[in-house]
Amino acid sequence: MDMKTVKVRELRKLLDEKKVSAGELCEMCFSQIKAADDTYKCYITTTEEIAAEQAKKAQERIDRGESAPLTGIPFAIKDNICTDGVKTTCASKMLEDFVPPYNATVMEKLNEQDIVMLGKTSMDEFAMGGSTQTSAFAKTKNPFDPQRVPGGSSGGSASAVSLGMCAAALGSDTGGSIRQPAAFCGMTGMKPTYGRVSRYGLVAFASSLDQIGPMARDSHDCAVILNAICGFDPHDGTSSKNSVPDFTEKIGKSIKGMKIALPKEFFAEGIDGSIREAVMNAAHTYEELGAQLVECSMPSLKYAVPAYYLIACAEACSNLSRYDGIKYGHRSKVGDSYEELIMHSRAEGFGDEVKRRILLGNYALSSGYYDAYYGKAMALRQLIRQEYNDIFEKCDIILTPTTPTTAYRCDENISDPVKMYQADICTVTVNIAGLPGVSTPCGYDQKGLPIGMSVIGRHFDEATVIQAADAFEKTFERKAPRV
Amino acid sequence: MDLEMVKYLADLGKLYFSDEELEENSRQMTSIVELMDTIKEIDISYDPLKDNKNVYLPDLREDKSAPSMPTEKVLQNAVNSGSCFVVPKVVE
């Protein structure tokens, strides 16, 4: 069995038929972690002892014939999702020693199914970045070329799934942080509709945009995981009471007659030719499957990146004000007064990118600038939502590239924040509008690096997004990294 | 963005910067704000009545007490704590 390619459903079958045990699966993942994680740096913390105990408990449940869909499945968890008793650092010195006293709701839900947690994966500090190179502890590498970035911010989860260091993972997505690393690492990642999955226990970056989602080796696996983690949570006032379908129910059904929108701005200048070509080839595959392609326009896209950064940073500077060095988090030894203690604790604990975003958020919200920046960004948010609504009046899903380029070298872009921000152009509008979207591989460039396409759906219509992504995946030959 | 503005924003964010860090941030924030300024060219305004369409606030929960976290768990990540959070002296 190749841990880099085996699906969660296949593992379920093997476990239930006793062809492999939960303990053996856990060991196989740890042997891959020991062999490759020094190079790829996917994990910040591994939890081998806890995993062995969880595997034992899962196996007992399997032996009783009571397994749930994820019982015994080895998972990696992004290090901004709180895990009771296991360090949750957000890849920041600020939370280097933080041990949450509670589980995030998604962890409670996964534990109810008796998953096996292998550890906590690296990310950009506080999820602020698209490269995982702002991590204070583990600058994760791309599984297809360790000289390149895995994307971010959920780069550790994406790379770990791609390299077989787990069977699936959880990530979080504020402006593309699940979908962009999924594209760079040649695997599948899903951002559910805002409100579909509880954010309780997800360390907050931008509360109106953040969403937890699954990362796996295809859309069907993502649907199985989404089934487990979604639903209303009284601990999260923005989680939805909408009914929850079985997200696998439309898989395999014909997409004949499905209307697929192609907004021309997503295929314009600035998008690499190889990416445009791969996504258009995917569109033609859909046509061959009986879908109808519809050209459309989203004029507000040119303002999406600044609108996103103004909203996200405004929320971030408020959310991050909780780090004072007193209740939890890094506490400076410098500073005699209350004020000085806070200022030095934050200066020592936060990295450069986090500080920049706090500055930008304060700028956007400060007196004299509020209307011109935050107010205008909120107006753009309404316009972007309206443009999506208009498209969804005529179409069922939208198809776009996930990224303008394939994975870049670790020494490129990193020192230029503006370049880094502009690279988010294809993903941020989905968060701004609160829509569900999945990124899945649709090609490889001349260097053999994966190309991702995004399927975007109506609010709470993840089932159609998964149906469409799965229909394409069945026609596409995915490559695993050669490690 | 000039140094005075960066210093003002840093104070708002309770961030200590050295002089060199202030200079570097001034340079980088200037390019970031240039990118943000592109939204000034579109003439639209925010309509608060249309807002929060994608925030599905459920019914407010019932106002009744529920178990809370034990004190030792709340304090487990605080430095120098006994049975309370410890801060530098704030009164003379």
Side-chain angles (χ1 to χ4, degrees), chain A residues 193-204:
Chain A
T193 308
Y194 183 82
R196 183 61 101 182
V197 178
S198 167
R199 293 181 295 107
Y200 180 68
L202 171 69
V203 178

Side-chain angles (χ1 to χ4, degrees), chain A residues 330-454:
Chain A
H330 174 74
R331 182 173 180 136
S332 176
K333 294 188 170 56
V334 184
D336 295 328
S337 70
Y338 179 70
E339 189 83 0
E340 282 176 1
L341 171 70
I342 295 174
M343 290 189 82
H344 284 281
S345 296
R346 290 166 65 82
E348 293 164 15
F350 291 139
D352 292 342
E353 181 57 27
V354 174
K355 288 176 188 167
R356 269 196 293 276
R357 294 198 192 197
I358 293 172
L359 294 179
L360 179 59
N362 278 324
Y363 185 62
L365 293 175
S366 58
S367 170
Y369 297 94
Y370 183 97
D371 289 338
Y373 291 109
Y374 186 72
K376 185 62 85 67
M378 290 301 278
L380 275 160
R381 180 175 206 160
Q382 291 178 331
L383 180 65
I384 289 166
R385 280 185 199 154
Q386 189 55 52
E387 289 183 3
Y388 268 120
N389 288 344
D390 293 345
I391 293 173
F392 282 124
E393 285 205 355
K394 298 180 207 116
C395 299
D396 302 298
I397 57 159
I398 300 171
L399 181 68
T400 71
T402 306
T403 57
T405 67
T406 51
Y408 47 86
R409 292 178 60 84
C410 295
D411 53 5
E412 274 179 84
N413 297 348
I414 305 297
S415 57
D416 186 344
V418 170
K419 258 191 178 171
M420 292 290 290
Y421 297 174
Q422 283 167 330
D424 294 339
I425 182 74
C426 297
T427 48
V428 292
T429 53
V430 167
N431 301 75
I432 290 173
L435 298 167
V438 67
S439 176
T440 201
C442 65
Y444 298 88
D445 72 3
Q446 286 177 333
K447 298 185 193 82
L449 298 168
I451 294 170
M453 65 176 201
S454 283

Side-chain angles (χ1 to χ4, degrees), chain A residues 167-184:
Chain A
L170 289 187
S172 69
D173 192 316
T174 304
S177 282
I178 286 176
R179 292 159 289 148
Q180 185 255 28
F184 278 10

